[in-house]
């Protein structure tokens, strides 16, 4: 999908000084595993992972992908607002959920959704053990309220790794409703089995309107005064969900985390998800 690009690669705009992200760690691909026809797990690692901070749940790491076929990777420079290559071009940066971290083995798993002929999907599908990659992070995650008894998790396929991770750590006695929009039925994932879990899969009818059925489902969802909500997916759809939750339903912001993971309609002459 040439129209997709992760939110970590913003369009050129007014310069705004920002805090420099954590330094990149030079790593290599260790192995890959197909989790579903549309989801690949890539294990990366190496000595440079020593001292990597344990990620929070549903956190993020930023991957710097190598040029196709490259045996080395060149680190970009932070200009105070974003990373740029020496020639001024944008590097192939993608933001993913750190699914599992095994510090003793110096390994980290990231799960990649195969969104079609994109830079990230192509890299994940063709990655070989020993091929280079760089990683920065971790970014912020989600803090679970151990007293909460009711959760609503919402997202599209890009949110599947984070949702699966959250399901492994939510309070055992909690009721959990999950709504996931998938672009293809083969994108459905076997979530961890747990009591009180209700999963609804929403098939995306129009690839040009990602998140539309998810927005409709949120409008129809029963949300109690005790429900804690986590949402991630396409930026416009997530923004519509944010307006509905905080504006129309007056959900306290302390009970909902809403994050845009990617944006439809960005020109992808630069790398995409």
């Amino acid at each position: 999908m040439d129209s997709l690009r992760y939110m970590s690669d913003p369009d050129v705009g007014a310069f705004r000084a920002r805090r420099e992200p954590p330094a990149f760690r030079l790593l290599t691909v260790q192995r890959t595993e197909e989790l579903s026809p549309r989801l690949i797990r890539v294990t990366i690692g190496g000595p440079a992972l020593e001292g990597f901070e344990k990620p929070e749940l549903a956190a993020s790491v930023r991957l710097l992908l190598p040029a196709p076929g490259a045996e080395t990777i060149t680190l970009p420079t932070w200009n105070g607002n974003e990373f740029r290559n020496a020639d001024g071009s944008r590097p192939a940066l993608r933001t993913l959920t750190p699914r599992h971290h095994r510090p003793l083995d110096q390994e980290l798993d990231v799960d990649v959704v195969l969104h079609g002929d994109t830079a990230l999907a192509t890299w994940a599908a063709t990655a070989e053990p020993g091929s280079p990659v760089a990683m920065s992070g971790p970014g912020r995650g989600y803090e679970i309220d151990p007293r909460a008894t009711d959760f609503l998790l919402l997202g599209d396929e890009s949110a599947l790794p984070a949702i699966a991770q959250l399901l492994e750590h939510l309070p055992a006695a909690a009721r959990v409703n999950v709504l996931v929009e998938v672009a293809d039925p083969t994108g459905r994932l076997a979530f961890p089995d747990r009591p009180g879990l209700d999963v609804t899969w929403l098939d995306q009818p129009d690839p040009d309107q990602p998140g539309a059925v998810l927005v409709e489902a949120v409008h129809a969802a029963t949300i109690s005064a005790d429900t804690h909500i986590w949402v991630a997916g396409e930026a416009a759809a997530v923004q519509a969900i944010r307006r509905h939750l905080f504006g129309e339903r007056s959900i306290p912001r302390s009970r909902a985390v809403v994050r845009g993971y990617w944006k439809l309609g960005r020109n992808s002459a630069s790398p995409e998800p």
Side-chain angles (χ1 to χ4, degrees):
M1 292 182 190
D2 289 344
S3 58
L4 293 178
R5 195 175 76 214
Y6 268 85
M7 297 294 288
S8 56
D9 294 322
D11 285 339
V12 176
F15 183 87
R16 179 170 59 91
R18 301 165 60 196
R19 178 181 299 177
E20 183 173 358
F24 282 103
R25 300 169 185 264
L26 293 174
L27 306 170
T28 58
V29 173
Q30 305 296 301
R31 59 189 173 276
T32 62
E33 176 188 0
E34 182 181 290
L35 301 180
S36 80
R38 290 177 58 82
L39 192 67
I40 291 181
R41 173 163 295 165
V42 182
T43 299
I44 60 177
L49 205 56
E50 181 71 28
F52 177 68
E53 179 185 347
K54 180 181 179 181
E56 297 175 332
L57 298 177
S60 63
V61 291
R62 180 176 293 179
L63 291 192
L64 173 63
L65 307 181
E71 297 183 359
T72 61
I73 196 163
T74 301
L75 297 182
T77 300
W78 179 256
N79 67 8
N81 183 58
E82 61 182 350
F83 285 105
R84 288 283 181 168
N85 293 320
D87 62 2
S89 63
R90 285 195 182 92
L93 290 173
R94 296 296 175 264
T95 303
L96 297 168
T97 299
R99 189 65 179 85
H100 301 107
H101 176 217
R102 294 177 293 279
L104 294 180
D105 297 327
Q106 296 180 329
E107 291 184 344
L108 183 77
D109 297 333
V110 292
D111 297 347
V112 179
V113 179
L114 300 181
H115 280 298
D117 186 18
T118 65
L120 181 60
T122 299
W123 171 78
T126 60
E128 296 287 343
S131 62
V133 67
M135 183 204 69
S136 172
R140 62 175 181 161
Y142 177 65
E143 184 176 353
I144 295 174
D145 184 344
R147 301 164 299 177
T149 59
D150 195 354
F151 289 88
L152 176 61
L153 309 181
L154 311 162
D156 58 23
E157 286 181 274
S158 70
L160 282 173
I163 290 175
Q165 189 176 63
L166 290 174
L167 288 175
E168 295 170 353
H169 293 86
L170 293 178
R175 297 180 299 274
V176 186
N177 288 329
V178 177
L179 301 176
V180 184
E181 179 179 316
V182 292
D184 188 279
T186 59
R188 300 183 181 189
L189 186 68
F191 285 131
D193 188 23
R194 52 170 293 147
L197 175 62
D198 184 11
V199 179
T200 301
W201 295 100
L202 306 168
D203 293 328
Q204 181 188 104
D206 185 352
D208 292 328
Q209 296 185 26
V213 294
L214 186 63
V215 173
E216 292 178 3
V218 174
H219 278 258
T222 299
I223 302 177
S224 73
D226 299 320
T227 302
H228 287 242
I229 306 167
W230 183 91
V231 186
E234 197 280 326
V238 164
Q239 182 62 25
I241 292 172
R242 178 183 287 110
R243 288 194 298 268
H244 175 68
L245 293 177
F246 297 145
E248 299 172 26
R249 295 222 192 191
S250 299
I251 300 292
R253 291 181 181 269
S254 61
R255 288 202 288 111
V257 170
V258 185
R259 294 176 179 166
Y261 271 12
W262 60 279
K263 186 174 181 64
L264 180 72
R266 296 279 180 92
N267 185 333
S268 284
S270 56
E272 42 198 55

